[in-house]
Every structure is written in C-alpha cells, then in structure tokens.
Amino acid sequence: MKIEKYKVETPQGTLQYNISGNGKPNIVLINGGSGPIEGWMKILPAISESSSVFSYNRLGVAGSDKPKENQDGINIVNTLREALTLVGFKPPFLLVGHSLGGLYANLYARLYPNEVAGIVFLESSHPKDISLNEYQGKAVKIINKIFKMFDSLSSHKQFNEVNFVKKTINQIHQINDFPDIPVFVITGGQENRMMPEEARKKRLENQLELLSLSRNSRHIVAEKSGHFPQLTEPTVVIDSIKDCAEKITNHSQ
C-alpha cells in the first residue's frame, strides 16, 4: 500500500502527514525514533475502515523539514498538537505509540489529559528503559558513543530526538497525573538476542508496569514478533487498536 502524503506548515517546520478513513474515535499514530510513515502501511487500511487515522513524519524524518530546535518530548508533543489543529483533526484521540513514540503518547496524555481518550503502547519505550543500557557490553557502548559523536558533527542531527530521551523522561516524571483511560500494552514475544538476558527481563517488567497507568488496562503478547509487531503480526495490532476504540466508544455513550 502506498501512503499518500500531504504537507502542513507548523511554526517549527513543514510536516508530511496522511489522514485516512472517516469515523470515531480519531486515531493518531506516533512513530518510533526516526521511523517513517510507511511503518504503518500494514495496519492503516484496516483501522481506517471504522476510524479517522492521522499518521505523520516527525521533523527530520523523510520529507518533513529538518528540526531547528531540540526534539525533546514537550517540543515533539506540541508540534504534533499544532499540526493536528492546523489540519482540523480534533480530540479526543486514541494515541498509538510505537517504541520511542510511546514516551510521547505517555507525555501527551499527562500534558493534555482532556484530549486523550485511550492509548495503545506498541512495543513502547518505558521511562525506566533508559537504565537498560547499563546491561550492554563494553563494545556496544563504545559503538553507541562513536555514532553519537558523528551525529553531533551534522547541524540538524544535534537536534535529533535520540539525544533528548533523558530530557523527555524527566518531563514525564514531572507530571504525576495520568488520565483514567483505557491502556493497551502490546509486547513482542520474540527474544532480542542482541539484548542480555538480565536486560530482557527488566524490559518485560517495565512493559508490565505500563499497565499500572490505568485501572482499565490490558496486556497483549505478539508471540511471533520482536520490536515491530505492526509489520510481523499486523492483525494482533489491528485487533488491539479496534478493541481499545470500542472501549472508548462504549465509555462515551
């Protein structure tokens, strides 16, 4: 499936986006770190059958403008919110956050609780995941340092969101209140062999901890998937999003 892209000019720069379908709730897909809109291609047609769906490329991704300021969580959430307002995509939203996008969904719900009706955390980062790095071997740490050094040589890459994950996590910690909304957590069941056993266990604990954000939460394991269930088991992701949408609809009636 080819995703048709349109452009919206925000004060921070021009973003590529797509709106598909027609229905409620309005769904907002938030990519993982530097992930393009095409990452949703296997689920977009099915979830667009019953809902309106907004997907986009963040600043610095594909054909969107390069960022001109730090891409920390608050800046990313506010740029997304401005884009949604400019294209007339109205809250309340069902947010679907993949990987790093899960941190932004988490922060969005804390900053603007009245605008978020539910969240699907898809193989999502948890604020505590930042400590998993200490379990990595020396070689991996050195490689990561080298990559970071190269990134700092390129002017727009110094603003890259991966450089501001710690700041985003601090922003999440500064707002204790999380709205009482349906929360679905989808975790890939396949082991990541690059990740030490201790780190894998800790990460699973963190995934389960996301359930405690809401009294109305559900955990789904995508048994045959690693970090990208939307590509390897799209049906699991589609069903979870539709189930969350149904809970939102029933709650609002």
Side-chain angles (χ1 to χ4, degrees):
M1 170 201 175
K2 186 175 184 296
I3 300 176
E4 198 165 345
K5 300 183 194 82
Y6 307 95
K7 292 198 167 181
V8 57
E9 288 182 32
T10 74
Q12 290 73 33
T14 300
L15 295 173
Q16 288 182 317
Y17 76 96
N18 171 273
I19 295 177
S20 301
N22 187 17
K24 293 285 185 269
N26 282 347
I27 297 173
V28 178
L29 303 177
I30 308 177
N31 306 341
S34 302
I37 208 169
E38 283 75 17
W40 304 110
M41 61 196 296
K42 287 193 175 182
I43 70 163
L44 196 51
I47 59 173
S48 300
E49 287 169 7
S50 49
S51 286
S52 298
V53 186
F54 176 95
S55 53
Y56 79 120
N57 286 327
R58 280 197 290 282
L59 293 171
V61 178
S64 291
D65 282 353
K66 302 286 187 283
K68 299 189 281 286
E69 60 182 358
N70 296 348
Q71 293 304 288
D72 59 74
I74 285 179
N75 281 341
I76 284 172
V77 166
N78 285 336
T79 302
L80 168 59
R81 195 164 171 257
E82 282 175 334
L84 292 167
T85 302
L86 287 166
V87 301
F89 204 75
K90 292 183 168 59
F93 304 121
L94 163 50
L95 303 180
V96 180
H98 174 244
S99 192
L100 200 53
L103 291 181
Y104 306 136
N106 193 336
L107 183 60
Y108 197 127
R110 292 166 194 266
L111 287 168
Y112 306 107
N114 296 333
E115 295 180 15
V116 181
I119 295 182
V120 175
F121 289 110
L122 173 59
E123 258 297 298
S124 168
S125 300
H126 182 288
K128 287 183 183 173
D129 285 350
I130 200 157
S131 66
L132 297 180
N133 200 38
E134 66 198 43
Y135 300 106
Q136 295 292 357
K138 201 172 184 181
V140 175
K141 284 183 180 170
I142 290 167
I143 290 164
N144 286 343
K145 231 174 209 166
I146 290 166
F147 277 136
K148 216 163 189 183
M149 189 176 75
F150 281 126
D151 270 359
S152 67
L153 300 175
S154 170
S155 62
H156 77 268
K157 286 194 174 178
Q158 71 185 8
F159 300 125
N160 194 300
E161 60 192 325
V162 297
N163 298 322
F164 300 98
V165 174
K166 198 176 270 188
K167 187 172 182 183
T168 298
I169 287 165
N170 288 338
Q171 290 166 347
I172 289 170
H173 286 320
Q174 281 165 18
I175 310 166
N176 287 328
D177 290 343
F178 186 91
D180 187 22
I181 55 174
V183 166
F184 280 54
V185 178
I186 305 174
T187 307
Q190 292 291 309
E191 289 184 353
N192 178 353
R193 290 190 176 86
M194 294 286 288
M195 194 182 276
E197 178 63 25
E198 205 171 340
R200 278 203 297 268
K201 278 187 191 163
K202 191 75 195 140
R203 184 172 182 276
L204 181 57
E205 282 174 26
N206 294 346
Q207 288 283 291
L208 295 174
E209 197 175 290
L210 287 170
L211 297 168
S212 66
L213 286 171
S214 169
R215 293 174 297 175
N216 188 359
S217 60
R218 188 189 300 179
H219 188 222
I220 300 101
V221 178
E223 300 282 0
K224 300 170 187 165
S225 296
H227 194 49
F228 293 88
Q230 68 270 40
L231 297 176
T232 47
E233 286 180 275
T235 307
V236 172
V237 178
I238 291 161
D239 289 348
S240 300
I241 293 171
K242 286 187 171 180
D243 286 350
C244 189
E246 196 177 325
K247 272 187 181 286
I248 292 167
T249 305
N250 290 342
H251 180 70
S252 63
Q253 283 172 355

